[in-house]
């Protein structure tokens, strides 16, 4: 029996060796403290259903890995065969563990069956985090007339070279017009804090670029995208807001008991009202309570977790996450006792 077991194990290892070799050949260490990567793939026409099933398996596999934060599978444009797979983890170590895993190697090996034959070899690159809500983005739309594209791109390159040298710079996304209904170029410029973004927007360098003859023919406008919860977490020091997942967890921690208490004590008094009116009153009260006293109290109590000291960061991260999850459980248990089935 032992020999049979050892033989089966050896056969399994032999089967994994070619896969592991390909994985090691593809693996390259990433520079610095990288916690998110992007892998670009191109799939052949007619493989949409198989690729959709593969996405499901990939999502399930990566979600089960320690330190997983998020996964995004994004087409370059609508109906495009080119896709970007953005994988985020809480630390560089756990990200590398995923990159070197046999699960990831197997999934990308399966992907080869419906990937374009002339597509570039799969590789991981540091991912620009355009979907993170812990920074601030200026969205600039520019109308480029026919025949002036080269002029616009040349100007954009010079602007990119200058803004990348400013403190807090977190990347730029330039998107070509996606349809005749939106005939403008979109530029997303990201900085870590509003103060750092303003420093670039108000700088002499940028004003000189806007005043240059190359940019005069273009019509443009801009607006800012900030965190949806930014006013609760912002401060006068100009520090970056906590990560979006922490903000969301804290809002849920505060909002859940408010909604439950309204259900228990306010809803019976609103039962005679028309449903939209009753819901509006309940929501207005919830927003008022959360926005003013409750979020301020929660942030003050958990500030050590929202913005942990660098020296003990990962210890505080784990302790804070465990604390919030425990508070979730306590809230649920209390209301289960107050509202028995």
């Amino acid at each position: 029996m032992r020999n049979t077991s050892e033989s089966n194990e050896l056969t399994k290892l032999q089967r994994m060796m070619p896969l592991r070799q390909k994985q090691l050949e593809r693996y390259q260490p990433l520079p610095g403290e990288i916690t998110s990567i992007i892998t670009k793939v191109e799939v052949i026409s007619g493989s949409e259903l198989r690729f959709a099933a593969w996405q499901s398996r990939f999502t399930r596999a990566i979600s089960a890995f320690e330190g997983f934060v998020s996964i995004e599978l994004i087409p370059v444009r609508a109906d495009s065969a080119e896709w970007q797979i953005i994988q985020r983890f809480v630390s560089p170590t756990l990200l590398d563990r995923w990159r070197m895993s046999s699960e990831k190697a197997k999934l990308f090996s399966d992907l080869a069956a419906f990937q374009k034959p002339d597509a570039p070899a799969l590789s991981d690159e540091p991912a620009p985090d355009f979907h993170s809500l812990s920074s601030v983005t200026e969205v600039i739309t520019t109308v480029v007339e026919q025949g002036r594209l080269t002029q616009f791109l040349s100007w954009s390159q010079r602007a990119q070279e200058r803004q990348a040298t400013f403190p807090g710079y977190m990347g730029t996304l330039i998107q070509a017009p996606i349809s005749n209904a939106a005939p403008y170029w979109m530029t997303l410029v990201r900085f870590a804090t509003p103060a750092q973004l303003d420093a670039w927007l108000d700088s002499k360098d940028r004003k000189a670029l806007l005043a240059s003859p190359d940019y005069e023919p273009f019509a443009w406008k801009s607006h800012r995208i900030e965190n949806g919860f930014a006013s609760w977490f912002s401060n006068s020091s100009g520090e970056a807001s906590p990560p979006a997942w922490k903000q969301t967890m804290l809002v849920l921690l505060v909002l859940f008991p408010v909604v439950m208490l309204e259900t228990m004590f306010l809803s019976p008094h609103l039962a005679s009202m028309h449903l939209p009116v009753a819901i509006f009153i309940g929501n207005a009260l919830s927003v008022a309570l959360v926005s003013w006293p409750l979020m301020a109290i929660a942030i003050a109590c958990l500030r050590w977790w929202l913005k942990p000291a660098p020296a003990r960061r990962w210890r505080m991260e784990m302790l804070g996450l465990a604390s919030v999850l425990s508070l979730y459980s306590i809230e649920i248990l209390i209301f289960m006792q107050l509202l028995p089935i």
Side-chain angles (χ1 to χ4, degrees):
M1 180 68 69
R2 181 180 178 182
N3 290 339
T4 302
S5 177
E6 290 177 352
S7 177
N8 292 338
E9 190 66 21
L10 180 60
T11 301
K12 180 180 178 181
L13 290 172
Q14 289 172 338
R15 289 176 178 173
M16 287 297 296
M17 283 177 64
L19 185 61
R20 184 66 169 174
Q21 182 62 32
K22 290 181 180 178
Q23 176 188 15
L24 291 172
E25 291 172 355
R26 188 167 58 235
Y27 175 81
Q28 292 292 331
L30 295 173
E33 296 294 304
I34 302 299
T35 58
S36 59
I37 56 173
I38 182 170
T39 309
K40 301 175 182 179
V41 302
E42 293 184 47
V43 296
I44 58 177
S45 178
S47 62
E48 289 79 9
L49 292 178
R50 288 189 295 166
F51 184 54
W54 181 90
Q55 291 183 47
S56 177
R57 297 199 306 272
F58 188 91
T59 301
R60 184 168 58 250
I62 192 174
S63 300
F65 250 71
E66 180 185 3
F68 168 77
V69 173
S70 67
I71 172 69
E72 295 180 66
L73 298 106
I74 308 170
V76 173
R77 57 187 179 277
D79 301 321
S80 174
E82 300 177 39
W83 285 72
Q84 299 177 345
I85 306 172
I86 303 173
Q87 305 136 75
R88 297 188 181 92
F89 282 76
V90 298
S91 74
T93 300
L94 295 174
L95 172 61
D96 273 344
R97 194 173 297 173
W98 160 249
R99 294 181 66 212
M100 289 294 293
S101 68
S102 58
E103 290 90 338
K104 180 175 182 288
K106 177 64 166 60
L107 283 162
F108 279 109
S109 178
D110 294 343
L111 180 64
F114 42 94
Q115 189 180 16
K116 285 188 174 181
D118 57 345
L122 296 177
S123 62
D124 299 330
E125 303 172 5
D129 192 5
F130 287 105
H131 302 277
S132 170
L133 297 180
S134 59
S135 58
V136 59
T137 303
E138 190 79 5
V139 181
I140 304 167
T141 55
T142 308
V143 178
V144 180
E145 297 178 1
Q146 189 172 2
R148 294 187 179 273
L149 178 57
T150 301
Q151 181 181 347
F152 170 72
L153 293 178
S154 176
W155 183 92
S156 297
Q157 182 178 352
R158 295 201 305 275
Q160 166 65 21
E161 291 172 354
R162 292 303 305 138
Q163 66 197 15
T165 64
F166 276 64
Y169 175 73
M170 294 184 65
T172 299
L173 173 67
I174 299 178
Q175 179 177 293
I178 57 176
S179 69
N180 293 330
Y184 48 76
W185 284 73
M186 182 180 297
T187 305
L188 276 61
V189 182
R190 293 179 63 83
F191 278 80
T193 68
Q196 290 171 328
L197 174 59
D198 287 336
W200 159 247
L201 295 178
D202 297 334
S203 68
K204 294 180 179 179
D205 294 35
R206 185 170 185 272
K207 289 178 180 178
L209 284 164
L210 293 176
S212 67
D214 286 347
Y215 201 67
E216 283 183 356
F218 302 117
W220 64 279
K221 60 181 179 179
S222 67
H223 66 276
R224 183 166 300 186
I225 299 177
E226 295 191 77
N227 191 331
F229 304 133
S231 61
W232 291 335
F233 296 90
S234 61
N235 55 60
S236 58
S237 64
E239 296 179 2
S241 301
W245 63 272
K246 288 186 179 181
Q247 299 182 31
T248 304
M249 289 186 70
L250 200 59
V251 172
L252 177 60
L253 180 68
V254 172
L255 182 60
F256 173 70
V258 172
V259 173
M260 290 302 300
L261 289 171
E262 286 184 357
T263 301
M264 293 172 60
F265 299 109
L266 180 62
S267 294
H269 298 286
L270 303 178
S272 59
M273 296 183 178
H274 201 285
L275 184 59
V277 176
I279 292 177
F280 178 84
I281 293 174
N283 287 350
L285 183 59
S286 298
V287 171
L289 289 173
V290 170
S291 296
W292 284 293
L294 298 181
M295 281 303 299
I297 295 171
I299 291 171
C301 292
L302 289 169
R303 190 175 300 279
W304 56 272
W305 172 61
L306 293 170
K307 297 182 179 180
R312 298 186 297 168
R313 179 181 175 186
W314 294 115
R315 180 181 178 185
M316 293 297 99
E317 293 279 14
M318 294 300 104
L319 181 59
L321 182 60
S323 299
V324 174
L325 292 176
S326 298
L327 290 171
Y328 284 162
S329 300
I330 292 171
E331 289 178 345
I332 292 171
L333 289 172
I334 289 174
F335 287 109
M336 286 176 66
Q337 294 298 317
L338 294 176
L339 291 171
I341 297 177

